Amino acid sequence: EAPSVRGVALDQNQTRLAVLNVPDRPGVAAQILQSLADKGIPLDMIIQSEPAQGVNNIAFTIKTTDRYEAERTLQQTGQAVMVDTDVAKLSIVGLGMAQAKGIAARMFQALAERDINIEMIATSEIKVSCIIRQSRAVEALQAVHQAFALNGSQEIPIER
Amino acid sequence: EAPSVRGVALDQNQTRLAVLNVPDRPGVAAQILQSLADKGIPLDMIIQSEPAQGVNNIAFTIKTTDRYEAERTLQQTGQAVMVDTDVAKLSIVGLGMAQAKGIAARMFQALAERDINIEMIATSEIKVSCIIRQSRAVEALQAVHQAFALNGSQEIPIER
Ligand SMILES: C[C@@H](O)[C@H](N)C(=O)O
Ligand SMILES: C[C@@H](O)[C@H](N)C(=O)O
């Protein structure tokens, strides 16, 4: 079956947290993740890019309603924590996204045409997700919807 | 249905590329992604974490067989490109991974116990993927397999 985009999903109930400049050595990510799990805080996205000079950042997105607990938990483990509640997660959902060439590019181009900055990116075979400013969320949803010529019935407007 | 891990997947045929210190403004990611799509190079993971001081890095993983073409393409767009062929992608695959608290922590702990460094992370509701050194790949697969008490019949050993 040809790769295809089936829908667009927007989640405005997201907060981004990041722990900054943590040592790039085994056990660090596990300890941070476990401290959040021990408090029963579910994580939506976990994003970590390349390390540099022996340190790295680990970014998460959580439900905004969990932000105080999550922030407190991370601060207790001695981490420098950045919190940003004004984000939204915009995703395209489909099949064969990894093999399909240019699907992510098309999504990003739709955002670029409206001057919407892409702050974070994570992908899988069935989903390309971006973190953008919450203030641009609905406009971004419409832009990507149009870019993939999806009619109303194919929209998955809000994730949980 | 309770969240659960169904299997572990290891892909050793991965190369990581990163474009470094690109301007954090609309259109940058789109242009880079389009240049790779125009050459017909499929991307597996795309990872971008938080920007800092007006710049960001964008990391990708591709099939190692596409590395020369991808590197050349990115260099032609004027980017500083980092290439690392000695990586492997290890993933746990399941359902309800985002809501399940501690699944990623458990995977990361299994790697930490064997002193395996986690270089990159990206997650979705059905998958937690890490980039690790290729030299530790098989050991990492076994460690995570054991951590989730998966017997041999549930293994999804190699992605494409
Ligand atoms: C930074 C963090 O991911 C570290 N590399 C670890 O393996 O835990
Ligand atoms: C860095 C890059 O992702 C940029 N923020 C863009 O929107 O294209």
Side-chain angles (χ1 to χ4, degrees):
Chain A
E1 173 167 1
S4 60
V5 173
R6 301 298 171 81
V8 191
L10 175 66
D11 185 348
Q12 298 201 53
N13 184 25
Q14 295 247 336
T15 284
R16 169 175 70 205
L17 292 150
V19 289
L20 305 175
N21 297 321
V22 297
D24 178 35
R25 58 165 191 262
V28 170
Q31 183 224 10
I32 290 167
L33 272 283
Q34 193 59 51
S35 68
L36 294 165
D38 288 345
K39 291 280 162 55
I41 298 164
L43 303 179
D44 186 43
M45 300 172 94
I46 307 167
I47 293 180
Q48 176 182 298
S49 190
E50 315 228 339
Q53 291 141 16
V55 296
N56 211 342
N57 302 331
I58 308 176
F60 317 91
T61 67
I62 57 168
K63 295 199 295 280
T64 297
T65 41
D66 285 337
R67 68 150 292 192
Y68 291 114
E69 178 98 54
E71 190 177 1
R72 205 163 38 233
T73 302
L74 291 173
Q75 283 166 344
Q76 276 166 11
T77 67
Q79 306 297 344
V81 185
M82 255 181 62
V83 184
D84 189 338
T85 54
D86 296 334
V87 300
K89 183 175 87 170
L90 181 69
S91 307
I92 52 176
V93 185
L95 296 174
M97 312 275 275
Q99 295 80 13
K101 302 155 195 80
I103 283 188
R106 192 163 154 198
M107 177 189 190
F108 298 170
Q109 184 59 32
L111 299 176
E113 280 166 12
R114 284 155 183 84
D115 224 35
I116 296 169
N117 198 40
I118 298 166
E119 300 181 19
M120 293 166 76
I121 303 165
T123 64
S124 73
E125 290 86 345
I126 63 163
K127 190 184 271 200
V128 177
S129 293
C130 298
I131 294 294
I132 59 171
R133 274 303 99 189
Q134 193 166 352
S135 58
R136 309 298 304 276
V138 173
E139 183 184 358
L141 176 67
Q142 291 166 344
V144 174
H145 223 226
Q146 284 171 26
F148 289 96
L150 294 167
N151 63 39
S153 65
Q154 286 169 301
E155 180 173 326
I156 309 160
I158 302 291
E159 280 179 8
R160 52 183 181 85
Chain B
E1 168 168 6
S4 60
V5 174
R6 300 295 170 82
V8 190
L10 175 65
D11 185 350
Q12 298 200 54
N13 185 26
Q14 295 246 337
T15 283
R16 170 176 69 206
L17 292 149
V19 289
L20 303 176
N21 296 323
V22 298
D24 179 32
R25 57 165 193 261
V28 171
Q31 183 223 9
I32 290 166
L33 272 285
Q34 192 61 50
S35 69
L36 293 165
D38 289 345
K39 291 281 164 56
I41 298 165
L43 303 180
D44 187 43
M45 301 172 94
I46 306 167
I47 294 179
Q48 175 182 299
S49 191
E50 313 227 340
Q53 291 140 17
V55 296
N56 210 342
N57 301 331
I58 308 176
F60 317 91
T61 67
I62 58 168
K63 297 199 293 281
T64 297
T65 40
D66 286 335
R67 68 149 293 192
Y68 292 113
E69 179 98 54
E71 189 176 1
R72 205 162 38 230
T73 302
L74 291 173
Q75 284 166 345
Q76 275 165 10
T77 67
Q79 306 296 346
V81 185
M82 256 181 63
V83 185
D84 189 340
T85 54
D86 297 333
V87 299
K89 184 174 88 167
L90 181 68
S91 307
I92 52 176
V93 184
L95 295 175
M97 314 274 275
Q99 295 80 14
K101 304 154 195 82
I103 283 187
R106 191 161 153 201
M107 177 189 189
F108 297 171
Q109 185 57 32
L111 299 176
E113 281 166 10
R114 283 157 183 81
D115 224 35
I116 295 169
N117 199 41
I118 298 165
E119 300 181 20
M120 292 166 77
I121 303 165
T123 64
S124 72
E125 291 85 345
I126 63 163
K127 189 184 272 198
V128 177
S129 293
C130 298
I131 294 294
I132 60 170
R133 275 301 100 188
Q134 193 167 351
S135 58
R136 308 298 304 275
V138 174
E139 183 184 359
L141 176 68
Q142 292 167 344
V144 174
H145 224 228
Q146 285 172 25
F148 290 97
L150 294 167
N151 63 39
S153 65
Q154 286 168 303
E155 182 171 326
I156 311 161
I158 301 292
E159 280 180 8
R160 56 182 181 86

